[in-house]
Amino acid sequence: QKEVEQNSGPLSVPEGAIASLNCTYSDRGSQSFFWYRQYSGKSPELIMFIYSNGDKEDGRFTAQLNKASQYVSLLIRDSQPSDSATYLCAVNVYGNKLVFGAGTILRVKS
Amino acid sequence: ETGVTQSPTHLIKTRGQQVTLRCSSQSGHNTVSWYQQALGQGPQFIFQYYREEENGRGNFPPRFSGLQFPNYSSELNVNALELDDSALYLCASSPWTSGSWEETQYFGPGTRLLVL
């Protein structure tokens, strides 16, 4: 079982819709969770981090964490074509080591 | 931009050669982590440096080695290059403040290595 799993997609949503990206992790001891956005040919860019169960909102982005279910998600409201990218879920397993999923490709169609 | 810089941006080597990649961390960030990202995959942790010492290592062979300098910049060295070493190599920095690591890591632009 992979430590961090994401649906590879592509996930296609129309412009203005809500995009929902999901991630599950295997280590129950994980304490911190990160979402990165990566455009083709570029390096990952931090979008959000979340440490506590529940929701955390930042602009059009909402991260949701459920430690009991070992599940973290990212919602993007009012999706724009510029949101089209690969979204990487990362979990801090121990000692500040990030374990990444393979990423979900998001395509926002105008 | 994160303030983390890497050089070179691109590199072509042949199998068996050695390569050194460089990273300058963001101002105030004293830990540096290196990741390898193969095409279509998420980044994989290679190792981390803090106060010039290795502070954790992923599942990579000893031919992957590193250094951190007093100014917190870092090098990744790969010996005896193999075809599978072709990847994007990412450096990420994070600060140590108030007696603990801030866990957020900020990535540099990466070095794309092609091994022929």
Side-chain angles (χ1 to χ4, degrees), chain A residues 38 41-45, chain B residues 1-11 19-26 32-37 43 46-47 72-78 87-93 105-113:
Chain A
Q38 187 172 28
K42 302 295 185 180
S43 65
E45 171 193 7
Chain B
E1 294 192 0
T2 62
V4 181
T5 60
Q6 292 186 244
S7 63
T9 55
H10 295 83
L11 204 51
V19 68
T20 297
L21 310 181
R22 295 178 175 83
C23 170
S24 291
S25 60
Q26 185 170 333
V32 174
S33 301
W34 286 90
Y35 292 82
Q36 180 196 66
Q37 187 176 23
I46 303 175
F47 44 56
Y72 306 133
S73 65
S74 178
E75 287 183 354
L76 164 65
N77 299 289
V78 187
L88 178 67
Y89 287 85
L90 296 160
C91 166
S93 72
Q105 297 187 21
Y106 300 90
F107 284 89
T111 294
R112 192 164 297 279
L113 173 64

Side-chain angles (χ1 to χ4, degrees), chain B residues 56-69:
Chain B
R57 186 179 184 92
N59 189 26
F60 281 82
R63 60 189 185 84
F64 285 78
S65 63
L67 286 172
Q68 186 181 31
F69 301 99

Side-chain angles (χ1 to χ4, degrees), chain A residues 2 31-34 36 38 40-46 49 51 88 92 94-103, chain B residues 31 33 35 37 40-43 45 48 55 57-58 88 90 94 101-110 112:
Chain A
K2 292 183 180 178
Q31 295 295 320
S32 50
F33 308 86
F34 303 83
Y36 286 83
Q38 187 172 28
S40 181
K42 302 295 185 180
S43 65
E45 171 193 7
L46 179 69
F49 58 87
Y51 299 153
L88 296 164
N92 191 324
Y94 58 85
N96 216 23
K97 164 192 171 182
L98 291 181
V99 177
F100 285 83
Chain B
T31 65
S33 301
Y35 292 82
Q37 187 176 23
Q41 301 297 316
F45 177 76
Q48 182 183 82
N55 183 48
R57 186 179 184 92
L88 178 67
L90 296 160
S94 50
W101 279 296
E102 179 180 315
E103 296 180 29
T104 306
Q105 297 187 21
Y106 300 90
F107 284 89
R112 192 164 297 279

